[in-house]
Amino acid sequence: MKAMTKLSDIERQFLSALPDGRDNAVTLLNLSRALNINKHKVSEIVARLRNAGYLVGSSKSRPNGVYFIITAQEFWETVNTINKSIQSQQVTLDALMNHEERFTR
């Protein structure tokens, strides 16, 4: 089920270009070329659509890229990928915060 929200033109174009299922995943680079926008903008669109409730999956293994989630396995793979990213970022933040007192006024 796809979420309902007011979408920009580029978000609608993105959703139209997004394939169903991990086996059909398309890279951010290919999407950026197809939509004539930069790769960073595509990443922002993915984040906005996910935050709006759209089931945009992602895979870092072959085939890598993004897609509409259609199975439980795809859902959990995406959840696990995001969780690993959060954990990695937390480790980095914790390491930086070890120096906090040097920068406290």
Side-chain angles (χ1 to χ4, degrees):
M1 180 170 131
K2 298 175 185 172
M4 300 298 284
T5 187
K6 184 163 172 49
L7 300 174
S8 67
D9 287 340
I10 195 65
E11 289 168 337
R12 280 193 296 277
Q13 291 173 34
F14 176 91
L15 290 173
S16 292
L18 197 63
D20 287 341
R22 182 181 182 280
D23 290 342
N24 301 307
V26 61
T27 65
L28 296 182
L29 182 59
N30 285 342
L31 275 173
S32 71
R33 289 176 178 158
L35 299 172
N36 200 30
I37 59 176
N38 68 51
K39 189 176 160 186
H40 180 72
K41 182 74 171 172
V42 174
S43 294
E44 290 175 356
I45 291 169
V46 168
R48 280 198 313 267
L49 290 172
R50 283 177 170 169
N51 291 341
Y54 287 85
L55 292 173
V56 179
S58 58
S59 174
K60 294 192 180 210
S61 60
R62 295 200 185 273
N64 68 329
V66 292
Y67 55 89
F68 272 120
I69 294 170
I70 57 174
T71 69
Q73 181 177 346
E74 292 168 355
F75 174 81
W76 289 111
E77 178 182 275
T78 298
V79 167
N80 291 332
T81 297
I82 292 169
N83 264 329
K84 286 178 187 175
S85 177
I86 291 168
Q87 291 168 2
S88 174
Q89 290 292 313
Q90 188 63 56
V91 169
T92 302
L93 179 59
D94 292 346
L96 284 171
M97 293 307 291
N98 287 329
H99 302 283
E100 177 184 19
E101 65 186 41
R102 292 176 51 199
F103 300 98
T104 302
R105 297 179 190 212

